[in-house]
Each structure stands twice: as C-alpha cells, then as structure tokens.
Amino acid sequence: MAVYTDVSDEALATFLAGYAIGELVAFRGIAEGVENSNFQLRTTQGDFILTLYEKRVNVRELPWFLGLMQHVAGQGVSCPQPVADKAGVLLNTLAGRPAAITTFLPGVWPRRIRLAHCRPLGQALARLHAAGQSYAPVRPNSLGPEAWPPLFESCRAGANAVLPGLEAELDAALARIVPFWPGNGANPDLPRGQIHADLFPDNVFFLKDSVSGLIDFYFACTDMLAYDIAICLNAWCFEEDGSFNVTFARHLLQGYEDIRPLTQPERDALPVLARGAAMRFLLTRLYDWINTPADALVTPKDPLDYLKRLRFHLATETLDGYGV
Amino acid sequence: MAVYTDVSDEALATFLAGYAIGELVAFRGIAEGVENSNFQLRTTQGDFILTLYEKRVNVRELPWFLGLMQHVAGQGVSCPQPVADKAGVLLNTLAGRPAAITTFLPGVWPRRIRLAHCRPLGQALARLHAAGQSYAPVRPNSLGPEAWPPLFESCRAGANAVLPGLEAELDAALARIVPFWPGNGANPDLPRGQIHADLFPDNVFFLKDSVSGLIDFYFACTDMLAYDIAICLNAWCFEEDGSFNVTFARHLLQGYEDIRPLTQPERDALPVLARGAAMRFLLTRLYDWINTPADALVTPKDPLDYLKRLRFHLATETLDGYGV
C-alpha cells in the first residue's frame, strides 16, 4: 500500500499547471512502495509517476536523490528521470508534501526470482555504479555500521520477545562485524561511489529477462560499491525456505564483473559486507516490527528472515561460499 | 488499498498467453477500490485493468456483471469493457481467484465534488439506465430493504457502543422506511431496470468536468431506477460537515431529467428512497466498523457520516427539500 496522502483535484491542477507536460488524462494511486505515496499520472504527452514524499524522507536530501537519478539517467541508466517544471525546478510541493514528477518506466518486477534475472541484475548494478562515479555530491550512508549499535539499543528491550536469545545473538554478531568492517581502524577501505543500497526485487523492472529499469533511489548513498553487491546477495540469492542459492549468487557476481571486475580487497571483504547487509535489514525490520502500531497501513516485514541470512553469512568465511 | 492477492510472473504470463492483447509491458497494483485486487496492465497493444475478484464477490454472479458492462458499453456508455480471451471467454482464473481483463478508462475521480460535476453525473446515470433497459438478465438487489433488518440484527449488539442511542434510533428509522418502500404492500412500484447502486465519486471519472467513464459495477443490480438517484443524492450532495447541498441535488436531478424525466410516483418516492439509501450504507458501514479486525488492510468508513444523512432525509418530507 502506498498512498498515504490524497490529492485534491484543484491542488493537482494547480501543481500540473506549473509543468509543460500536457493535459491531465488519468491519475491513479499505485499500491506499491512503502515509504512514499506514488501515483501513476497520464497526460496528453505520456505517462509519468507523481511521488509525494512522506515523513521518513528528509526533504533536504531530496535534491541529492533527484540529482543522482537525473545524472545516472543521463549516463544511460534506465531509471525514473525527474521532470523539471516550467521554471526548471525538480522539486515542488503538493498536498503539503514535497513532490516530484518522474518519467514512467516500462517493466514488471519479478515476484519470483529466477536464475535468468541474476546476471542482468549484476550488470545493471555495475552500470549504475559506473554512471554514479561522475556524480560528485556525497550522501553518507545513514544506515551504515555506525548506525547499527544505536539502532539495536533502541529495540534491544523487545528483541527476546521476538525470538528468545535474539538479544545475545545480535550482540555477538555485531562484535563479529563492526570491528572488521572495511575502512574501520586498520581495515583497508574499498572502492567507493554512489550505491542504490535498497536494490530488492521490487525495485528492479524486467522485460523478458532484461532489466528495463531501476527504481526507488531514496536509500541511495555514497558508500563502498561492493556493499551494494552484498545487499543484492541478501535480497536476491535466498530461497523462501532461507537457504542460499549459490548459482544465483555466481550469476549475479558474473554479471557485475562483466562490467566492473572486483578488486582483490573487495572479494576478500564480501563475507563481512554480506553479514553487515543482513544486519542492516534485520535491525531496521526489527525496529519496525517492534514499533509499528497494530492498525498501521503497512504490515512490517518479518525481521527473522534476515536472521537466517545473517547466520548463513556468519558461517561463510570465504568467497567459495558465494560461488566465486 | 486494493491489492489483496499478488500474482507470480509465471502465472501472469500463462494467463496473458490466453489473450490476444500483445506482449506485457508493465504491471502495477492500483491503490484504489476496496473489494477486489486491481492492477494496471500495459501491453504492446495498450492499457488494460486486470481485476482479481476477492471473496466478497460471488463468482456465480460475475458473468452477470461482466455481461452488463459489455452490454452498456455496446450502447455507448463509457465503462470498463471486458476483454475476451482467445476462446471468447470473459472470466478466467489467476492466482486462485476469478479474474477478468477490462479496458482502461481515462479520467480522474473527483476528490472534492463541485457543482460542475453534478449535472454531467445525472446525465451519465440516466444514460446508464437507458442502456441497461435492453439487458434482460435480472440480479435482485441483495442489499435492498429486506436485507436491512437482518443486517441490523447482526450488529445490533454493537450499535450503542458506536453511538449511545443508535440502536433505538435505527429501529425507529427502519419503521419509518421499510413499510413505505415502493412496491412493498400497497405502495406503487416504480420503473425498474439495471442500476449501478454504488455510484460514489471514486467510481466516476471526469475529464475537464465531463464524465469520461463509470467504473466498479460489482454492486449493480436490478431495482428501481430512482433508487440509484437516491444513492447519488447521498453520495454526492452532502458537504463534509454533513449539511445537504441543495444546489448540487438540483443540478444532479436536472442532469438526470435531461435524459429521462422522472414520473410523478418517482418524484413522490424520492424522500423515502433517499432514507433507504442512507440506511443501506449506514448499515453496511456499521457492520464493517464493528467487524473489521484492527489489523485489516482497509480502514472501515465511519458509519456516522450516514447517520447524519439519514437524519436529514427523515426530516425532509417533500421534494422541495431536494431542490426539485
């Protein structure tokens, strides 16, 4: 469900009058995405997406996100391209929310991941990284390893109610990840750039097993490129029963390296990055699980899916385990 | 929110292979409607809506609804037109649900009702009634006056918790409506035909103050035509503060009579029909209000909005009160 804010006819008409994109033809809420309100917008000039940014998005960061989308689209990455209004402005206000119009992307996100998706996904991720290299503005990753201990503290008291022993397990896991994180202390840093940081299947559109576009850049940030691969290993390479699909992982990495071969330090760091990625999603889901009111519009995702992934990564010491 | 059932890629591909509507281009859930799951479907041949019918819809009645939509569309009414598969079948199965593809309608439903909407709405309603006259199959109104007493009994025990005194007020109101219902006992019957029976603003698309289409025929039934007007008086002619907008009502009725003048018995019956329409929506909302679990996807609508309407109609004895 993703329409939190409704838009009056007059407000929409006034808003659209600021853009040179033709006359309104259709306007429907989209039942996907969980952070913002999205509407499919059709005008006499074509199809667009209208996004109202809800409270979880920091309005001061929106220019960074929209700038990144505009930049990588200009480099040939298929992603929603922000549409400027008549004054050249990408970000406006509608129904009391920051709002932007972006181009419509064809494609369907895969409800079930198949092997055929993985190599094109890896290629698309590497192309995004390459395109982002020339985007200079920096956005630190606000959900990186420094954020995990305080995030865990904020839900520590509820952890064992979710699963007995979870509190101790997460303490032990954090101690096995954070000190070993690339760039921390004496650990070598890795190649950095703009990463998507949330490239789950519902953010990747396919047409006939080719990637037709990437969407939802609102967790993107400047971080180690290989961390984005680690997120995809978590998001794309586990079966519903929690088992790791090493063939999916091999194809994903092959696809990535078709475009940008990994350095040896990146390869060596992949297990700890994968652990960290599992920790990041486990902690935010745990927080949402504990803090979402029962009558909320969005059902929180089960944090324990990511505990299974975390356990797998903690048991996987070398790249062999990832099919490389 | 209106995606209750998700659809796997393979199931969608198999389903679409049965239709001659081109190749899949895009597929997004629509966040509107409360009874069924709706998806916007784009193929190389154009735009369609895919509907999965959820449990509240009786599968045996679907051919009646789809037949009505097909029939009135053939008479020039702009409404979703069911698309037959290669075998000529309108209704198939997808993800374990009855499913149909219909044509996409341009337009936007009005978030705020303006006077300019009311006369075109009345005209569109009368045109729908005229087009339905030649559709012979009958579907009794399962939410007509015989249904109200048992519906009230099923939520009587919770009524006073919603509003102190509501139980007695509804008993008294039912006694002032049901015995006076047209066709009951010695009361004269009124012209009958196919009615929409749920023509709320979110089911009427407009483009520049012209009606571009009517949607969501899944409460349609065979009943008194003037009852459909009474439903629209309730759904379109009250301000947010609960006050009746007599100008809206006058324009709505003028629009209707532009196409089909009302008979004198219909005019005389309008107050009791308006009371009945308010009772029908009050009771179904009361039922949902009492019976919706706190964690449901759809927030139930406040039944007391309709208590205000009911009180207005009970105090309005003649057509003057409706602007006629």
Side-chain angles (χ1 to χ4, degrees), chain B residues 234-257:
Chain B
N234 278 281
W236 291 77
C237 301
F238 286 84
E239 306 284 357
E240 277 190 27
D241 67 0
S243 67
F244 186 69
N245 188 319
V246 73
T247 315
F248 284 15
R250 186 182 304 120
H251 279 241
L252 185 131
L253 286 160
Q254 279 175 346
Y256 192 88
E257 294 204 288

Side-chain angles (χ1 to χ4, degrees), chain A residues 120-132 255-260:
Chain A
L121 167 70
Q123 294 173 342
L125 183 66
R127 290 198 180 99
L128 174 66
H129 290 172
Y256 192 87
E257 295 205 287
D258 289 343
I259 309 299
R260 185 182 83 85

Side-chain angles (χ1 to χ4, degrees), chain A residues 6-7 9-10 23-25 28-29 31-32 40 42 47 104-105 107 111-112 114 205 207-208 295, chain B residues 6-7 9-10 23-25 28-29 31-32 40 42 47 104-105 107 111-112 114 205 207-208 294:
Chain A
D6 213 342
V7 176
D9 315 308
E10 291 83 355
E23 300 287 315
L24 181 62
V25 174
R28 315 272 153 92
E32 293 173 13
Q40 187 149 340
R42 174 172 294 183
D47 286 290
F104 175 88
L105 288 188
R111 271 64 176 176
R112 194 173 71 78
R114 287 178 294 108
F205 289 170
L207 280 175
K208 292 182 180 292
D295 61 349
Chain B
D6 213 343
V7 176
D9 315 307
E10 293 83 354
E23 300 286 315
L24 180 63
V25 174
R28 315 274 152 91
E32 292 173 13
Q40 187 148 341
R42 176 172 294 183
D47 285 291
F104 175 88
L105 288 187
R111 270 66 176 176
R112 194 174 71 78
R114 288 179 293 108
F205 289 169
L207 280 175
K208 292 182 179 293

